[in-house]
Amino acid sequence: MSKSSASSWVRPATFVEGFHDEAVVRKMKYREVEHLGLVSILSFGGSGLGGMHTAGEGTGLVGGGMQEEDSVWWQEEPESDIKRATEILMIFLKAGGNLIDTSHWYGQGKSERLLGHALKNVPRKAYYIMSKVCRYDKELMRMFDFTYARTYQGVKDSLKRLQLDQVDVMQVHDPEFCPAVDIIVNETIPALYKAKEEGMTRLVGMTGYPIGVQEEIIKKSFEAGRPIHTSLTYCRYTLNDRSLLESGYWETCKKLRIAVVNASPISMGLLMNREPPAWHPATSLCKETCRKAIQYCQSKSVDISKLAVHFVLRNENIATTLVSTTSPQRCQQNIDAISTPLTLDEESVLEHIFSNIFQPAGNLSWENVELSEYWNEVGRALCVEKFYTKK
């Protein structure tokens, strides 16, 4: 019998008397996560708070646009944004959710700043929090920095914005964009271990899209004596791509006691009742396959996003899944999905789209699409600077 069943319910270490209502928290399901303990199967993704749901324009909440200069890292947030962020986060935490993920990249510090305000009156024991460094500005040539000095300073900056002394995990953000894995192993990870030694983070992790890059970093980090503790993968266990489990990567992490965090069950907007955002890197085949599934769901008056979330949460091998939203209503719906089973009709539709649309199509990913575009742009910029810019 699982720990999340009613007869054997075990309080997670994050339960706080006076803050939580046990009757409410009992409805949340938890699974064991390496190095952390019992973690809610639904986790809170902070990308929406930084405006990532609106292609980097505005906050995704109430306020206006963002600036480019470094001062944006420390600016104060509109009270309306703070209020909305706090409302969404409290819905999640009060329901027993206990893992929060954010990053400097999400709104160039905005997500971290909003979380810093929203968590002010929350007992620190009530949650685990993860953030990320190495991906910073929207300007192409300042977007990534994997050097030791910048990584170490990035940890300090994140803590300042979050108004915390320590995070549970500090992660390397999108290491696939680093020119060489050896830079990650010899500069980035040592800087994070220095931060760990000084008490700024308990664990060292990474997050990215290509599974192969993470596998190489894991191998080399263990060889260097500074092993990775957590791995966050996004869009790699969804209806359209199950490679997190089918590639053998999950098994590798399990053997090495690396905690795996899944993210984005709706594939960054592919599995929703609207067109995906214009910036979405998915291939035409992937988008068309998802569109077929959406159309079938609509013909049956079923919400494909609901099916997508249930598909992920019900898999016992997926300990926890990050879901980001800027809507209090959607946040509550995601939480309700944990204790409310699909109807027979919804189960039938889920079975149909998986067996007849997604499974025959195989794992539809977009590896190397963003990487190719990035290095093409970097190469073009360096070429212009070297040959066509007057000194």
Side-chain angles (χ1 to χ4, degrees), residues 129-178:
I129 189 164
M130 312 162 68
S131 195
K132 312 180 189 79
V133 289
C134 298
R135 187 165 189 169
Y136 303 106
D137 287 357
K138 290 188 288 183
E139 195 277 314
L140 179 69
M141 302 305 286
R142 298 176 61 198
M143 188 176 291
F144 294 97
D145 190 334
F146 297 93
T147 60
Y148 183 103
R150 186 67 190 86
T151 299
Y152 178 77
Q153 184 61 44
V155 177
K156 297 174 72 173
D157 292 345
S158 287
L159 290 176
K160 181 177 178 180
R161 285 186 292 268
L162 289 165
Q163 302 181 51
L164 295 173
D165 296 322
Q166 182 189 70
V167 292
D168 294 283
V169 188
M170 188 58 75
Q171 306 161 94
V172 184
H173 201 164
D174 293 340
E176 63 267 28
F177 288 92
C178 186

Side-chain angles (χ1 to χ4, degrees), residues 206-260:
M206 62 179 168
T207 176
Y209 186 69
I211 289 174
V213 173
Q214 292 209 41
E215 286 180 319
E216 186 178 359
I217 292 171
I218 287 171
K219 179 178 181 293
K220 291 190 173 183
S221 71
F222 270 77
E223 290 172 352
R226 291 182 289 266
I228 292 290
H229 304 113
T230 70
S231 168
L232 191 159
T233 65
Y234 64 94
C235 302
R236 302 319 294 259
Y237 188 75
T238 64
L239 280 168
N240 60 279
D241 185 356
R242 288 83 55 199
S243 55
L244 172 60
L245 296 184
E246 295 177 6
S247 67
Y249 181 69
W250 180 86
E251 282 290 346
T252 297
C253 290
K254 183 180 179 181
K255 290 176 183 176
L256 295 174
R257 297 190 63 232
I258 296 171
V260 176

Side-chain angles (χ1 to χ4, degrees), residues 2 9 19 79 83 93 128 153 167 177 209 220 224 231 239 256 261 266 269 272 308 315 328 331 340 342-343 353 381:
S2 70
W9 188 78
F19 178 79
E79 191 61 36
K83 183 177 179 181
L93 292 172
Y128 303 114
Q153 184 61 44
V167 292
F177 288 92
Y209 186 69
K220 291 190 173 183
S231 168
L239 280 168
L256 295 174
V261 176
I266 59 172
M272 297 184 71
N315 192 316
C331 181
T340 306
L342 296 177
T343 66
I353 62 173

Side-chain angles (χ1 to χ4, degrees), residues 275-287:
E275 285 295 309
W279 49 261
H280 203 293
T283 64
S284 298
L285 175 60
C286 182
K287 290 179 180 178

Side-chain angles (χ1 to χ4, degrees), residues 12-166:
T14 51
F15 185 91
V16 177
E17 292 280 3
F19 178 79
H20 290 114
D21 181 337
E22 184 170 316
V24 174
V25 175
R26 275 179 173 269
K27 297 178 183 179
M28 178 61 70
K29 293 180 181 179
Y30 298 89
R31 293 180 184 138
E32 195 75 29
V33 173
E34 286 284 358
H35 310 296
L36 293 177
L38 289 177
V39 171
S40 54
I41 64 172
L42 185 75
S43 300
F44 186 88
S47 60
L49 299 184
M52 307 306 285
H53 292 180
T54 48
E57 296 303 323
T59 66
L61 298 173
V62 182
M66 295 185 289
Q67 307 165 43
E68 292 293 342
E69 63 270 18
D70 289 353
S71 62
V72 73
W73 298 3
W74 310 110
Q75 70 180 13
E76 284 302 313
E77 304 306 323
E79 191 61 36
S80 54
D81 277 9
I82 294 172
K83 183 177 179 181
R84 175 61 69 88
T86 303
E87 179 186 4
I88 297 169
L89 192 63
M90 291 302 287
I91 290 171
F92 171 76
L93 292 172
K94 288 288 190 179
N98 64 357
L99 179 62
I100 302 166
D101 176 79
T102 184
S103 173
H104 175 115
W105 171 244
Y106 301 154
Q108 284 59 61
K110 189 172 191 71
S111 175
E112 291 179 324
R113 291 193 302 272
L114 285 172
L115 285 170
H117 287 291
L119 291 169
K120 270 184 179 179
N121 298 315
V122 177
R124 181 61 183 89
K125 179 188 173 184
Y127 59 91
Y128 303 114
I129 189 164
M130 312 162 68
S131 195
K132 312 180 189 79
V133 289
C134 298
R135 187 165 189 169
Y136 303 106
D137 287 357
K138 290 188 288 183
E139 195 277 314
L140 179 69
M141 302 305 286
R142 298 176 61 198
M143 188 176 291
F144 294 97
D145 190 334
F146 297 93
T147 60
Y148 183 103
R150 186 67 190 86
T151 299
Y152 178 77
Q153 184 61 44
V155 177
K156 297 174 72 173
D157 292 345
S158 287
L159 290 176
K160 181 177 178 180
R161 285 186 292 268
L162 289 165
Q163 302 181 51
L164 295 173
D165 296 322
Q166 182 189 70

